[in-house]
Amino acid sequence: MVRQRALHKPLSLLLLTPLCLLHRRASGQPHLTRRAPDEEAAAIQGVRGGSVELACGSGPAPLVVFWSFTPLGSLIPRPVAVTNGAESKVEAGASTLGAVSLWNSSLVLQELREGARGHFLCQALHAAGGQLHTTYSYHTLAVLVPVSKPQVRLSDPSPVEGTSVVATCALREGTEPVTFAWRHQAPRGPEEDLVEVTGQLLQLDPVNRTHLGWYACSAHNAVNRLSSDGNFLDVVYGPDNPVITVEPLGLTEEGFWAGEGEEVTLSCRAASNPPCHYVWLRDHTQVQVGPAYTIATPSRAHTGLYTCLAHNSRLDTHSQTTVRLTIYYPPEGQPSCSVLPTLGAVTLVCAWPGGLPAARLRWEGPRGTGPAALSNVTWSRGTTQLPNGGVFTCAGEHPALALPALCRITLWEPLRSPTCWTTATVGDQFIMLSCEWPGGEPRAMLSWLDGQQQPLGTTSPSLAIHLLHTQDDLAGREFTCRGSHPLRVPDPHCRLLLEAPQVAVAKPQVSVLEGGEARLGCALLGGTPPVQLLWLGPRRQQVEAGPSGFMLHPEGAQLHLSIRDADPARHRGAYQCVARNALGNSSRSVLLEVLRYPAPPNVTISRLTYGRHRREVQLQWAVRGPGNLTGFLVQRRASVPSPGAGAWETAASDIEPESRGRRLGGLDPGVRYAFRVLALNHHTAGHPSEVKIPADPPFSAYPAVLGAAGTGVVVATVASLLVFQYAARHPGTVPCIEPPPATPGVEPVQEATDAPVNVTITVTATP
């Protein structure tokens, strides 16, 4: 009864029950008993904004569960929530702990707040053995706060080199203990960890230029880790003593030198922050403001002392450096290498005049070093000591040059042999003999010789040209071009034989059917100088490719003429292939005949009958007489002319020339048609056949006779089978005649036979 009354108490009264359970009653029945509370509380950690679940013991479900909370530093418990299993209530003031709810007997805190730090007590009322018992569960909740994003704060963002700077990693909140780490990144360097610093403060004393850059810190506790954004520490320093460089670089005992006429740049750099300002002085006179001073075209007048002044405007400090620049000038250009052919030898020449001082030249070859001299040096070598492809180098050295100036020459003989050809000038007034033997070092020498090996003109390198008047009798004369080179033995040569052109045609007469393509061939048999090939038409006009059907096909020494869509009226006649050069001309004729196509043969219709239901016809025809044939065309129309049916329409086309019949469908049974057949060739159609109207097919009894005969054969076969079956089953009823035994000399005696047995067989044929 006690339990029943407890279960039916209002929830507001149940809130008071656990408080009463804390004090034993002196008397009364039944009395409430309690178990001793645990001495130690369960320690639980939660994160602000997160959730925790506090369990209220274990075992069977209690009758009533009451949760209370005691903040840190307080001794007064506060009610949080109560439940009897069917109903639950959360105290309104419990919202300071977070979002409070009950899950069975467990207390669930979501969106945890810092105010939830403290002690939680769960009092549970159980019924066992007719008595009420209380159990207690103690929980100590620690609410951890994540660290906020740290910030790097500098005591001086722009300190002067040598002073002291303190960097602080500032945090707004975060549960202790908090560990710090520092990182540094120079403007042009990688990021590095400052492992030796683990505290919240970074002491830079004294600060120097290596400390310049971005500083960032990270903070982490048991909940999370966050890193700050970088904060730039701008260390002010300088300027150091300037460093002067010269481009291009040239060093002397007194300073720098540069080549005359070549652009030279003097650059000044001094370590400073902020960047310093530069001023250039030449012999105590200002010439430039800025870190670089460029002399576009230096001359010997630019030799002197150059001073670079550096100024830091932030610190108002100065520094300077002075150097001497001397202008040298080498010989102009580059060394020049050449080779001169001589009898049985070659002479290598290297020259590079001028310069201050004069350049020193030295020859080097594949078999060692040659002579050396100032400004000009020569080296003679016999042809037997010269390998084909040998490289000879002349090196020129000068103080104004960082590296020697080189020129190279490779001795090699020209490839192959001289090549000869002839051309005619405009109007064929002159014939030009040309001979070429390119390449080689030294270059090959060429000369023209007549038939008696007498020289014509002078000797020239690589290319030799000689002019001849066409008025002279040149046909049949031979000319020789001779070449010479120190690396080629014996001397090579080429020859030219001048001759008038000769032509030949493939066929003197060509025939082609009308509309076909004719091909006239012409070949050049010889001729020097070069020959012009052309075709003349039947009217002696030059044939050119165009819309008239002519096509020219040049193939080397041949010129073919194609005539498409041959027409007797335009293309028939004699054509001439003409070859011309400065020494004469030659021609050959070709007669072109354009033949007309023969007419197709005549066609007659041999059979034209309707098929089933008059929707198709069977057409057969015959060909009479010779003629060119490529196919047939079948036409039809209504047999009774009418305004809508008088025109012939195609019933079948693309019929092979071997065909002599065709089945035509798609007819209208209500229309009576007329048909005709035409023979076709490549260009024309023959005369139409006679016009015929399809006839109905004649009646034929042959199928009926065959059907009756077939039925009779089947009936007879079945009857025979039945007779044999009956005889096999009743052997005594079937007469059997056995021949008597044969006795020599005795005539055979005919014995009486049994009476015949009548067997009636009825066969019923079901259609």
Side-chain angles (χ1 to χ4, degrees):
M1 296 298 293
V2 175
R3 181 180 181 186
Q4 292 178 355
R5 287 195 299 268
L7 291 177
H8 290 83
K9 289 180 180 180
L11 188 60
S12 59
L13 297 177
L14 290 177
L15 291 173
L16 301 176
T17 303
L19 295 177
C20 297
L21 294 176
L22 296 176
H23 306 279
R24 292 182 179 270
R25 290 181 180 179
S27 62
Q29 293 294 332
H31 67 274
L32 300 177
T33 63
R34 64 174 182 173
R35 300 175 184 175
D38 299 330
E39 295 297 333
E40 295 183 0
I44 298 178
Q45 288 185 342
V47 179
R48 186 182 64 184
S51 63
V52 295
E53 181 178 349
L54 307 179
C56 187
S58 59
L63 300 178
V64 179
V65 174
F66 176 78
W67 282 93
S68 62
F69 169 69
T70 304
L72 293 178
S74 175
L75 299 177
I76 303 174
R78 302 175 185 177
V80 176
V82 64
T83 179
N84 61 358
E87 298 179 83
S88 62
K89 178 175 179 58
V90 177
E91 182 68 19
S95 60
T96 59
L97 308 178
V100 181
S101 61
L102 287 171
W103 177 257
N104 295 329
S105 62
S106 298
L107 182 67
V108 179
L109 302 178
Q110 296 178 328
E111 301 177 7
L112 198 61
R113 298 185 178 181
E114 294 182 52
R117 292 193 185 100
H119 306 287
F120 287 84
L121 171 63
C122 174
Q123 303 175 62
L125 179 64
H126 297 269
Q131 293 184 345
L132 296 177
H133 302 277
T134 60
T135 59
Y136 302 88
S137 297
Y138 293 92
H139 301 275
T140 300
L141 177 62
V143 180
L144 305 181
V145 179
V147 295
S148 61
K149 184 175 181 178
Q151 293 182 347
V152 175
R153 297 174 182 173
L154 300 174
S155 61
D156 186 356
S158 300
V160 178
E161 187 175 32
T163 61
S164 178
V165 174
V166 177
T168 304
C169 187
L171 284 178
R172 180 172 51 84
E173 59 183 359
T175 301
E176 298 289 343
V178 179
T179 305
F180 298 90
W182 289 88
R183 298 186 307 278
H184 172 242
Q185 183 177 12
R188 294 181 180 83
E191 187 178 56
E192 58 180 351
D193 294 327
L194 304 179
V195 295
E196 68 278 3
V197 182
T198 58
Q200 191 173 9
L201 300 180
L202 174 62
Q203 183 81 23
L204 301 176
D205 186 19
V207 68
N208 58 55
R209 64 191 65 185
T210 62
H211 295 143
L212 185 144
W214 297 92
Y215 286 85
C217 69
S218 63
H220 71 91
N221 60 5
V223 180
N224 68 330
R225 174 191 293 269
L226 288 178
S227 298
S228 70
D229 297 329
N231 197 350
F232 191 77
L233 178 64
D234 192 12
V235 180
V236 180
Y237 59 89
D240 296 345
N241 289 331
V243 176
I244 298 177
T245 58
V246 176
E247 182 68 29
L249 179 62
L251 299 175
T252 66
E253 295 180 356
E254 299 177 350
F256 300 94
W257 59 264
E260 186 177 34
E262 298 180 359
E263 182 178 275
V264 60
T265 300
L266 287 78
S267 300
C268 183
R269 289 290 182 270
S272 175
N273 185 39
C276 58
H277 300 279
Y278 300 94
V279 176
W280 282 96
L281 304 176
R282 187 180 73 186
D283 295 335
H284 309 291
T285 301
Q286 179 175 329
V287 293
Q288 178 71 15
V289 175
Y293 175 42
T294 299
I295 305 174
T297 55
S299 63
R300 281 166 279 184
H302 287 93
T303 299
L305 295 175
Y306 289 82
T307 301
C308 174
L309 300 177
H311 174 234
N312 187 325
S313 58
R314 177 76 175 272
L315 301 176
D316 195 20
T317 53
H318 299 80
S319 62
Q320 69 178 43
T321 299
T322 301
V323 296
R324 172 174 289 276
L325 177 65
T326 303
I327 303 301
Y328 289 158
Y329 63 96
E332 296 182 359
Q334 298 289 329
S336 61
C337 295
S338 60
V339 57
L340 302 176
T342 56
L343 184 61
V346 295
T347 300
L348 303 173
V349 179
C350 179
W352 199 19
L356 182 66
R360 179 177 178 82
L361 305 177
R362 183 182 69 258
W363 274 110
E364 294 181 357
R367 298 182 180 177
T369 303
L374 297 177
S375 299
N376 188 290
V377 60
T378 60
W379 191 14
S380 295
R381 302 292 301 273
T383 55
T384 57
Q385 303 174 356
L386 298 176
N388 186 22
V391 179
F392 294 85
T393 303
C394 178
E397 299 176 351
H398 191 273
L401 299 176
L403 296 174
L406 305 177
C407 67
R408 292 183 176 88
I409 190 166
T410 302
L411 302 183
W412 57 283
E413 64 174 291
L415 301 176
R416 295 180 292 276
S417 296
T419 303
C420 298
W421 74 93
T422 62
T423 54
T425 60
V426 179
D428 294 338
Q429 296 182 357
F430 295 94
I431 295 177
M432 184 167 60
L433 305 179
S434 300
C435 179
E436 185 179 23
W437 194 15
E441 188 64 53
R443 293 192 296 172
M445 305 303 293
L446 300 174
S447 60
W448 278 103
L449 306 176
D450 60 11
Q452 289 74 35
Q453 300 300 305
Q454 297 299 317
L456 301 174
T458 59
T459 302
S460 58
S462 300
L463 179 65
I465 297 176
H466 184 70
L467 292 178
L468 300 174
H469 286 277
T470 55
Q471 297 177 355
D472 300 336
D473 186 12
L474 299 177
R477 293 182 59 182
E478 186 178 66
F479 298 88
T480 302
C481 175
R482 183 174 62 194
S484 62
H485 192 273
L487 301 180
R488 174 71 70 89
V489 178
D491 294 338
H493 63 275
C494 61
R495 290 187 174 87
L496 282 177
L497 178 62
L498 302 183
E499 56 183 351
Q502 296 293 327
V503 294
V505 293
K507 296 180 180 179
Q509 185 173 354
V510 176
S511 299
V512 65
L513 290 176
E514 178 185 6
E517 180 178 351
R519 189 175 180 89
L520 312 182
C522 179
L524 178 65
L525 301 181
T528 305
V531 178
Q532 177 190 12
L533 275 178
L534 55 91
W535 280 94
L536 300 180
R539 296 179 179 83
R540 300 299 179 184
Q541 80 283 5
Q542 183 174 348
V543 175
E544 296 180 355
S548 58
F550 296 109
M551 292 292 293
L552 295 173
H553 306 279
E555 299 177 2
Q558 300 180 4
L559 180 63
H560 301 289
L561 173 62
S562 295
I563 304 173
R564 298 180 178 178
D565 299 327
D567 185 3
R570 295 188 298 122
H571 300 138
R572 182 171 53 190
Y575 292 78
Q576 280 192 339
C577 177
V578 180
R580 299 173 180 172
N581 71 357
L583 299 180
N585 57 65
S586 175
S587 65
R588 291 291 183 271
S589 298
V590 177
L591 179 61
L592 175 63
E593 292 182 348
V594 182
L595 306 177
R596 295 189 178 276
Y597 267 101
N602 294 329
V603 182
T604 59
I605 297 177
S606 59
R607 181 184 179 186
L608 180 61
T609 59
Y610 275 115
R612 184 172 236 178
H613 306 302
R614 300 174 66 93
R615 294 186 181 275
E616 62 180 23
V617 296
Q618 180 66 40
L619 174 62
Q620 295 181 358
W621 61 85
V623 177
R624 301 181 183 277
N628 183 265
L629 183 63
T630 61
F632 295 95
L633 175 67
V634 179
Q635 295 179 331
R636 74 180 183 188
R637 71 176 182 184
S639 62
V640 179
S642 62
W648 288 97
E649 60 182 14
T650 300
S653 59
D654 297 332
I655 302 176
E656 296 81 3
E658 298 82 10
S659 298
R660 295 296 183 269
R662 180 60 63 96
R663 183 184 298 273
L664 306 174
L667 302 182
D668 185 357
V671 178
R672 192 169 183 84
Y673 294 92
F675 290 86
R676 68 179 184 181
V677 183
L678 295 86
L680 306 176
N681 64 10
H682 292 283
H683 288 272
T684 61
H687 292 287
S689 68
E690 72 279 15
V691 179
K692 282 192 175 184
I693 297 174
D696 292 325
F699 175 76
S700 176
Y702 184 68
V705 173
L706 289 179
T711 303
V713 171
V714 172
V715 171
T717 303
V718 173
S720 300
L721 292 175
L722 292 176
V723 170
F724 283 116
Q725 184 179 8
Y726 180 84
R729 293 181 178 178
H730 307 279
T733 61
V734 178
C736 180
I737 301 175
E738 295 182 359
T743 304
V746 180
E747 293 287 338
V749 180
Q750 184 176 0
E751 296 183 358
T753 61
D754 295 335
V757 178
N758 296 326
V759 178
T760 302
I761 300 175
T762 303
V763 178
T764 303
T766 302

